[in-house]
Amino acid sequence: MASAEDLILEDGGKITLPKTVRNSYRLVQDTPLRLIETRHGILLIPLTSKPVSAALQAEPEEWQALNAESLEMFPYEEEA
């Protein structure tokens, strides 16, 4: 699985994705993305017809195979 990287939420709710991520997913300016809220976090899905690698295509199945214990590697704190 890919390594984690901290991002900063900027003015107006903007974030900058790392260049390595943009290159991996072939994201360019104005590429549409779908934001999906889950119980455990947020997913960003590129809405593009450009092909992705076989490894990237396998990612959703890997995520679906995770069990609750595996999700503990993603720290999350409930707001009081």
Side-chain angles (χ1 to χ4, degrees):
M1 229 179 255
S3 62
E5 182 166 338
D6 294 337
L7 303 174
I8 303 294
L9 187 64
E10 300 171 6
D11 186 40
K14 296 177 185 176
I15 59 170
T16 300
L17 298 176
K19 187 174 184 177
T20 56
V21 171
R22 296 190 314 264
N23 289 344
S24 292
Y25 289 90
R26 299 183 177 118
L27 300 175
V28 296
Q29 184 173 334
D30 297 327
T31 298
L33 301 169
R34 174 164 294 142
L35 182 138
I36 300 172
E37 293 182 72
T38 73
R39 289 179 287 186
H40 304 287
I42 300 169
L43 300 174
L44 289 177
I45 309 296
L47 299 178
T48 177
S49 60
K50 295 178 183 175
V52 296
S53 70
L56 292 178
Q57 289 176 352
E59 286 278 335
E61 291 177 11
E62 292 175 17
W63 277 98
Q64 290 173 347
L66 290 177
N67 58 28
E69 291 80 29
S70 298
L71 291 172
E72 290 176 5
M73 68 180 153
F74 302 102
Y76 173 79
E77 295 180 15
E78 298 258 349
E79 289 187 28

